[in-house]
Amino acid sequence: MTENSAQQPPAGPRELPTQYAPAEVEGPLYERWVERGYFEADASSDKPPYTIVIPPPNVTGSLHLGHAFQHTLMDALTRRKRMQGYEALWLPGMDHAGIATQNKVEQQLAEEGKSRHDIGREEFVRRTWQWKDEYGGRILGQMRRLGDGVDWSRERFTMDEGLSKAVLTIFKKLYDDGLIYRAERIINWCPRCLTAISDIEVDYQDDEGELVSLKYGEGDETVVVATTRVETMLGDTAVAVHPDDERYAHLIGKRIKLPLTDRTIPVVADAHVDPEFGTGAVKVTPAHDPNDFAIGRRHGLESLTVMDERAVITVPGPFQGLDRFEARAAIVEALREQGRIVAEKRPYVHSVGHCSRCRTTIEPRLSLQWWVKVEPLAKAAGDAVRDGRVRIHPEELSKRYFDWVDNMHDWTISRQLWWGHRIPVWYGPNGETVCVGPDDEAPAGEGWTQDPDVLDTWFSSGLWPFSTLGWPDETASLEKFYPTDVLLTGHDIIFFWVARMMMFGLYAMDGVPPFHTIALTGLVRDEHGKKMSKSNPNSVDPLDWMDAYGADAVRFTLARGANPGADVPIGEDWVQASRNFANKVWNATRFALMNGATVEGELPHAETLSATDRWILSRLNRTVGAVDAYYDDYQFAKVSDALYHFAWDEVFDWYVELSKTTFAAGGDGAAASRRVLGEVLDVTLRLLHPVMPFVTDTLWTTLTGRESVVVAEWPADSGFRDEAAEREIQLLQEVTTEVRRFRADQGLQPGQRVPARLDLSGTSLAAHEPAIRQLLRLQPEGDGFQATATLPIAGATVALDLSGTIDVAAERKRLTKDLGAAEKEKSQATAKLGNEAFLAKAPDQVVGKIRGRLAKAEEDIARITAQLANLPAA
């Protein structure tokens, strides 16, 4: 990168094609940025650091609108900081995505008629690495399409050598500190993925099932229990009642017959049971329900596992070998034959957990797994936010964070997979257990075996902010770029990723949190606010939109919807509007270049400038200040709106149009305006660059002749304000807008010229008469002028001669007809709203529509009456 590249003198002709073609510009321009090293961060630099680590997308993934949304915002933050003189690092990489990637390779094997067990663990892992090299990382190329300004020289993968060392190091440290342990507990088991998954990987949804009430015991020793999982009764080892429930006092301590088995089970008293719910008695299956497991522990009950890893019944007898759902129907039928069914409710809608990866219904299962003791880690994560070391933005989402970290259960980290970081624990022939760190030798000799499980994907990605910078080694990058500045991510993964990084960062880095700010975004939804899903027709591939409208249009649309923590609705027509904005920026810059706009030389002193020039410079500085404040508060929607309205409404619609008159007049005023226009576009393009990088770099380099806006200096608010000039141009806008509205009301075409007399003597607009006439297509009054319409506007008077431009009689006839229709609509709406019987019966939305019709009719009457009054005499 060239030092002070933004200060190089202009070079070459300043010309632009008539139209902007994103497809021809974006790819080559991005590669030029990368080749020049613009995005590479230097750990030895004396610039202040600014660091963002990318939420690592799954190696199986492709760019979706959620990625495009968050990447746009992270890129905008990083590009701005780079322009502000920071050593900005946006670090890219991918997650190995244990279950998702293993499923991909198992699908390949299934197509060959094989399973992973047919080829063995070593070959399966080799095949998975091969799949990753061949098919993984597609999203990285798509990130280039979007314009992600990441430091590709630092790309990381959660299973590369350095990150593997970090995983072994922290596992060993946690193990030695007693924060990792192995225990048999109830876990969430996926019978499809054949692995344990954590609570946060379970999606709950309302499913239609059945609620069956069963009779246990005989005669006076009968208890009725209700369940949605009848098949688990085969593993019941007790019935529990509340100790104060008098209905069952005579049964507590006794044993009753368990139907369909040759077993009896005790009735136990436990305060966990709610006597007001159902019959006040519950079946207890310690091996297949977390609450029952806790009851079993308290009462020393046996835990009987009745299903295998595929949720197939294993209990000897008529149900052995049946899938859990087949067994459910068969057991209900068998109980019905015995007269044990007291009641059945179908359908019974209740919340059911599903695997977030494959959507299979989760089966709670007793299993021996590895766990992280989270209590001290979670407390540290909560304290870091409470004491202000870490700020959550927006603040109202802090409650969601605290709800999670303050109530976190121990985290099951072992997965029954082959793809991932294998647990570094060896078991010896005599019951020995040895945890091996990265610098330790694994135990050798007969009978030693390594634990077959791998770690939860979130275990390694929880180390991401510091492992990617070289930890556990003391690297220059770690010293320079840790802690990172901001984590920008969706509020939906506070539990998955954010809390994990907070716990591990504080633990591994001596109490230094992994980021200063957690900036939480919402989720991208369709234009009607509905969740986008691949299974729904509303799903959108952002690459299709980029192909059609350009990356800048997609980025600007996403940023413009980004209010902190709020979901982002997006539709294709909004992307089209952003494409139109990019084209407007292009065309305005072309106009400026064709009229000699320049960035060379100092700006003329304010006292030598016209009110129009002073006005736009004042508005420009206000915009710079507003944009900076919004960026610092992560208000991306307000950043985008401020820039859109300043660029389109003020620069393009007003200043460029007013400049046409100035340029036509020539002289010193035109020269000054050329410099001012150059300055305004220079600053505006730099302000727009973080969100719209491609079109702005193309235009800025053409306008200035300098190397790249990527390495240009971020604009600063000079403090210049001219409120008098702002009031003057606001008055000009008011006069122009009112006359335009009147012309439209009279049916005049925009380009149709009308004779007019302007009296501006009572205002500050005298010097602007040529511009006003040009903007409004007003001719000099000339001989025979008749003031057929006179408009008093804010101290100015505009008299128009419409005698030769419209058929007054025909226009009066048309307006009179429209007025009659509006009065009839008003009369009908008023009558309905005055009818008490109608109001009593009509739905609220119907009444609301009629009130809307009345308001619209009244507006039309006022408008048409004014138009009739302004018509010339016949």
Side-chain angles (χ1 to χ4, degrees):
M1 191 186 310
T2 305
E3 285 292 321
N4 299 319
S5 54
Q7 302 305 315
Q8 292 182 356
R14 304 195 307 157
E15 295 180 1
L16 289 169
T18 55
Q19 290 184 321
Y20 177 50
E24 298 174 12
V25 170
E26 293 173 353
L29 183 54
Y30 185 85
E31 293 309 317
R32 189 155 64 247
W33 292 336
V34 173
E35 289 165 7
R36 292 178 177 177
Y38 292 157
F39 306 139
E40 293 180 12
D42 181 2
S44 65
S45 165
D46 58 2
K47 296 178 181 178
Y50 183 81
T51 316
I52 296 179
V53 291
I54 206 165
N58 286 353
V59 68
T60 59
S62 59
L63 189 74
H64 56 65
L65 271 176
H67 288 128
F69 170 55
Q70 292 182 354
H71 287 207
T72 293
L73 306 186
M74 286 184 278
D75 195 30
L77 290 172
T78 312
R79 286 177 181 269
R80 173 175 174 256
K81 287 295 183 179
R82 187 179 293 115
M83 295 172 74
Q84 286 181 317
Y86 287 77
E87 194 63 41
L89 168 61
W90 186 20
L91 193 147
M94 292 184 297
D95 191 287
H96 64 279
I99 295 175
T101 307
Q102 178 152 324
N103 282 345
K104 291 284 187 183
V105 179
E106 290 197 270
Q107 288 168 13
Q108 280 190 339
L109 288 172
E111 292 171 3
E112 301 171 16
K114 299 177 183 177
S115 75
R116 61 179 161 126
H117 300 285
D118 294 327
I119 64 174
R121 183 169 193 146
E122 186 176 341
E123 175 60 15
F124 181 81
V125 171
R126 189 195 68 79
R127 286 278 297 260
T128 309
W129 275 106
Q130 183 180 23
W131 183 93
K132 181 260 181 188
D133 293 339
E134 187 172 351
Y135 299 105
R138 175 176 45 168
I139 192 172
L140 298 179
Q142 295 168 341
M143 287 163 55
R144 300 170 96 93
R145 283 286 314 276
L146 187 65
D148 284 7
V150 295
D151 185 346
W152 291 110
S153 70
R154 294 173 176 269
E155 181 189 334
R156 303 305 299 268
F157 178 53
T158 51
M159 282 180 62
D160 67 27
E161 184 178 351
L163 270 66
S164 294
K165 180 180 179 181
V167 168
L168 294 175
T169 300
I170 202 162
F171 187 99
K172 171 74 169 169
K173 180 173 170 59
L174 288 163
Y175 181 88
D176 290 347
D177 287 347
L179 295 175
I180 283 184
Y181 63 94
R182 197 179 190 215
E184 191 174 48
R185 299 243 183 111
I186 292 287
I187 48 89
N188 303 298
W189 181 265
C190 176
R192 159 65 183 77
C193 297
L194 300 181
T195 183
I197 62 175
S198 64
D199 293 342
I200 54 178
E201 294 170 297
V202 179
D203 293 338
Y204 287 90
Q205 66 185 49
D206 288 341
D207 286 357
E208 286 190 359
E210 58 185 348
L211 180 66
V212 181
S213 297
L214 317 174
K215 182 170 65 177
Y216 287 11
E218 303 290 349
D220 293 338
E221 298 182 351
T222 296
V223 177
V224 175
V225 299
T227 180
T228 59
R229 300 165 66 218
V230 176
E231 66 280 6
T232 64
M233 68 157 291
L234 298 175
D236 285 0
T237 55
V239 169
V241 298
H242 194 276
D244 299 331
D245 193 333
E246 295 181 358
R247 293 172 296 175
Y248 302 113
H250 68 290
L251 290 178
I252 295 173
K254 293 186 177 181
R255 300 184 71 87
I256 60 175
K257 181 75 167 57
L258 179 66
L260 305 182
T261 73
D262 57 3
R263 294 190 291 117
T264 61
I265 57 176
V267 178
V268 300
D270 196 283
H272 170 77
V273 179
D274 180 0
E276 302 299 322
F277 184 78
T279 63
V282 297
K283 59 190 287 298
V284 182
T285 321
H288 291 279
D289 184 274
N291 294 322
D292 294 2
F293 177 76
I295 293 175
R297 282 285 183 90
R298 288 194 288 272
H299 297 276
L301 301 176
E302 186 181 6
S303 294
L304 299 178
T305 300
V306 300
M307 296 178 219
D308 67 11
E309 62 182 8
R310 297 184 185 276
V312 172
I313 301 297
T314 57
V315 178
F319 311 112
Q320 186 174 13
L322 294 180
D323 167 84
R324 56 184 164 164
F325 299 121
E326 296 171 335
R328 183 175 298 173
I331 290 171
V332 168
E333 185 57 34
L335 290 167
R336 187 179 293 112
E337 290 176 1
Q338 291 189 6
R340 295 279 178 179
I341 302 294
V342 175
E344 297 177 73
K345 184 176 182 180
R346 294 190 187 90
Y348 179 71
V349 178
H350 62 129
S351 180
V352 178
H354 295 261
C355 174
S356 62
R357 302 302 199 296
C358 70
R359 312 310 305 164
T360 299
T361 300
I362 288 300
E363 190 62 44
R365 186 170 189 250
L366 187 63
S367 182
L368 183 63
Q369 301 284 344
W370 285 95
W371 304 80
V372 172
K373 183 179 180 181
V374 301
E375 183 180 2
L377 304 174
K379 181 181 183 304
D383 290 346
V385 174
R386 287 188 170 97
D387 65 25
R389 282 174 289 158
V390 178
R391 178 172 73 108
I392 292 179
H393 187 282
E395 188 177 356
E396 57 265 26
L397 290 181
S398 297
K399 182 180 184 301
R400 187 177 299 189
Y401 175 82
F402 291 131
D403 285 347
W404 180 251
V405 298
D406 293 347
N407 300 286
M408 194 181 296
H409 301 297
D410 283 1
W411 170 21
T412 174
I413 55 172
S414 45
R415 298 290 179 267
Q416 289 63 58
L417 304 172
W418 288 354
W419 173 246
H421 293 281
R422 193 164 175 181
I423 289 176
V425 173
W426 269 254
Y427 306 113
N430 299 312
E432 304 96 329
T433 300
V434 176
C435 180
V436 176
D439 300 321
D440 300 333
E441 289 289 333
E446 187 176 348
W448 283 92
T449 58
Q450 185 178 359
D451 192 298
D453 290 350
V454 300
L455 288 164
D456 178 10
T457 293
W458 297 103
F459 189 94
S460 51
S461 60
L463 315 180
W464 190 253
F466 51 94
S467 63
T468 52
L469 297 172
W471 188 89
D473 296 335
E474 295 180 2
T475 65
S477 291
L478 190 63
E479 183 178 356
K480 176 77 173 180
F481 296 112
Y482 187 91
T484 68
D485 285 86
V486 59
L487 172 72
L488 191 144
T489 191
H491 60 63
D492 57 322
I493 61 170
I494 289 178
F495 323 124
F496 289 91
W497 193 46
V498 178
R500 310 299 193 211
M501 287 188 291
M502 285 287 283
M503 292 192 302
F504 282 167
L506 289 159
Y507 174 74
M509 300 301 293
D510 299 321
V512 179
F515 17 76
H516 299 304
T517 301
I518 301 169
L520 297 170
T521 70
L523 308 180
V524 178
R525 297 185 178 273
D526 72 11
E527 58 200 300
H528 305 295
K530 294 181 180 178
K531 183 178 179 180
M532 286 191 176
S533 168
K534 290 182 179 179
S535 60
N536 292 335
N538 67 350
S539 181
V540 171
D541 185 342
L543 296 171
D544 291 341
W545 279 354
M546 283 190 266
D547 288 341
Y549 308 111
D552 287 325
V554 175
R555 291 170 60 114
F556 190 77
T557 304
L558 291 165
R560 203 172 179 193
N563 290 297
D567 288 346
V568 183
I570 183 172
E572 187 167 6
D573 54 338
W574 303 344
V575 186
Q576 292 172 351
S578 295
R579 184 269 318 273
N580 295 343
F581 178 57
N583 289 341
K584 188 79 170 179
V585 177
W586 182 272
N587 291 333
T589 308
R590 278 193 77 240
F591 165 84
L593 293 172
M594 291 168 61
N595 284 276
T598 181
V599 297
E600 295 310 306
E602 296 294 327
L603 275 173
H605 291 297
E607 58 269 20
T608 68
L609 293 174
S610 68
T612 305
D613 288 338
R614 286 183 279 113
W615 161 73
I616 198 62
L617 290 174
S618 183
R619 296 299 305 151
L620 176 67
N621 278 287
R622 288 188 193 277
T623 302
V624 172
V627 167
D628 275 333
Y630 292 145
Y631 262 124
D632 290 343
D633 197 36
Y634 304 100
Q635 300 275 1
F636 298 98
K638 291 183 178 179
V639 166
S640 304
D641 260 357
L643 289 171
Y644 177 90
H645 288 297
F646 172 71
W648 193 307
D649 299 348
E650 299 189 277
V651 179
F652 308 150
D653 277 0
W654 288 102
Y655 184 70
V656 166
E657 290 302 314
L658 291 168
S659 296
K660 291 177 181 178
T661 305
T662 306
F663 293 152
D668 291 343
S673 290
R674 289 187 182 100
R675 179 64 187 89
V676 170
L677 180 55
E679 180 76 9
V680 170
L681 286 174
D682 169 18
V683 173
T684 302
L685 292 170
R686 282 186 278 154
L687 291 173
L688 281 168
H689 172 72
V691 177
M692 305 180 76
F694 293 106
V695 68
T696 53
D697 196 44
T698 304
L699 294 174
W700 190 85
T701 52
T702 306
L703 174 70
T704 66
R706 296 167 189 165
E707 183 180 332
S708 175
V709 72
V710 178
V711 289
E713 187 177 338
W714 182 252
D717 178 359
S718 70
F720 175 75
R721 302 288 189 274
D722 192 323
E723 296 194 9
E726 290 192 39
R727 287 194 299 270
E728 187 170 316
I729 301 305
Q730 184 178 3
L731 179 60
L732 182 150
Q733 292 169 333
E734 185 178 345
V735 170
T736 305
T737 301
E738 286 301 314
V739 176
R740 281 176 174 165
R741 184 179 295 119
F742 176 79
R743 286 177 56 111
D745 286 345
Q746 302 307 316
L748 298 175
Q749 295 301 313
Q752 190 171 352
R753 295 198 168 273
V754 177
R757 177 188 299 137
L758 274 62
D759 182 0
L760 307 174
S761 57
T763 71
S764 57
L765 298 181
H768 297 285
E769 181 168 343
I772 293 172
R773 286 188 176 274
Q774 176 64 27
L775 289 170
L776 293 172
R777 303 296 188 266
L778 302 179
Q779 295 176 186
E781 50 195 275
D783 295 336
F785 176 82
Q786 300 178 50
T788 57
T790 301
L791 308 176
I793 309 167
T797 303
V798 180
L800 303 174
D801 182 355
L802 304 180
S803 58
T805 57
I806 60 173
D807 184 335
V808 175
E811 186 66 9
R812 188 177 298 280
K813 182 178 179 182
R814 181 185 70 81
L815 289 172
T816 301
K817 181 180 178 182
D818 290 347
L819 180 61
E823 289 173 337
K824 181 179 179 181
E825 176 74 359
K826 177 183 177 181
S827 175
Q828 291 174 341
T830 301
K832 283 191 174 182
L833 293 173
N835 185 333
E836 294 296 335
F838 169 77
L839 292 176
K841 295 179 181 179
D844 289 345
Q845 63 266 32
V846 172
V847 175
K849 284 184 179 179
I850 294 172
R851 288 199 175 105
R853 284 168 48 193
L854 175 60
K856 175 67 165 56
E858 289 174 339
E859 289 176 8
D860 288 344
I861 290 168
R863 175 179 55 80
I864 297 168
T865 301
Q867 289 176 246
L868 283 166
N870 282 319
L871 278 177

